[in-house]
């Protein structure tokens, strides 16, 4: 079975979490999707690059989620979500690319 890169899991968690919250109108469901992807990505980050990298990238993931809210007021919701998801994906790739 092909392994999904942690960068894709994290970006998908941010985009998917927002999408679920928006389309169901239940923020809690979006939070569940966001958290589930975050836990899975953190596990992959730890396996690929160690505990310090996993902690740093998980912090970036949470900061991206939090930062998307004020950014959305300036550029719109979806552009904000895509921007932070892309940032987390690039950070994840940069940290884990040599470990794979």
């Amino acid at each position: 079975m092909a392994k999904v890169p942690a960068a894709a899991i994290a970006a998908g968690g941010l985009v998917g979490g927002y999408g679920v919250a928006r389309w169901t109108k239940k923020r809690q469901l979006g939070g569940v999707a966001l958290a589930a992807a975050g836990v899975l990505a953190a596990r992959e980050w730890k396996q690929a690059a160690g505990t310090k990298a996993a902690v740093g990238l998980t912090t970036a993931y949470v900061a991206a989620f939090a930062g998307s809210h004020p950014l959305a007021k300036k550029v719109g919701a979806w552009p904000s979500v895509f921007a932070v998801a892309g940032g987390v994906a690039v950070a994840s790739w940069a940290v884990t690319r040599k470990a794979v």
Side-chain angles (χ1 to χ4, degrees), residues 4 6 14-15 20 27 32-33 36 42-43 51 59 67 71 78 83-84 86 90 94:
V4 178
L14 288 161
V15 173
V20 168
R27 294 177 71 174
V32 168
R43 188 181 75 184
T51 302
T59 301
L71 181 60
W78 280 113
V84 299
V90 168

Side-chain angles (χ1 to χ4, degrees), residues 13-99:
L14 288 161
V15 173
Y18 175 69
V20 168
R22 182 171 177 130
W23 291 316
T24 65
K25 300 190 184 337
K26 298 194 184 308
R27 294 177 71 174
Q28 299 85 352
L29 287 179
V32 168
L34 178 80
V39 167
L40 183 57
R43 188 181 75 184
E44 295 296 320
W45 289 325
K46 183 177 179 185
Q47 187 177 41
T51 302
K52 283 185 181 181
V55 169
L57 289 167
T58 301
T59 301
Y61 183 77
V62 172
F65 166 69
S68 70
H69 292 82
L71 181 60
K73 292 179 186 201
K74 296 180 188 277
V75 300
W78 280 113
S80 172
V81 170
F82 286 129
V84 299
V88 169
V90 168
S92 174
W93 175 81
V95 170
T96 61
R97 75 182 193 278
K98 292 179 184 174

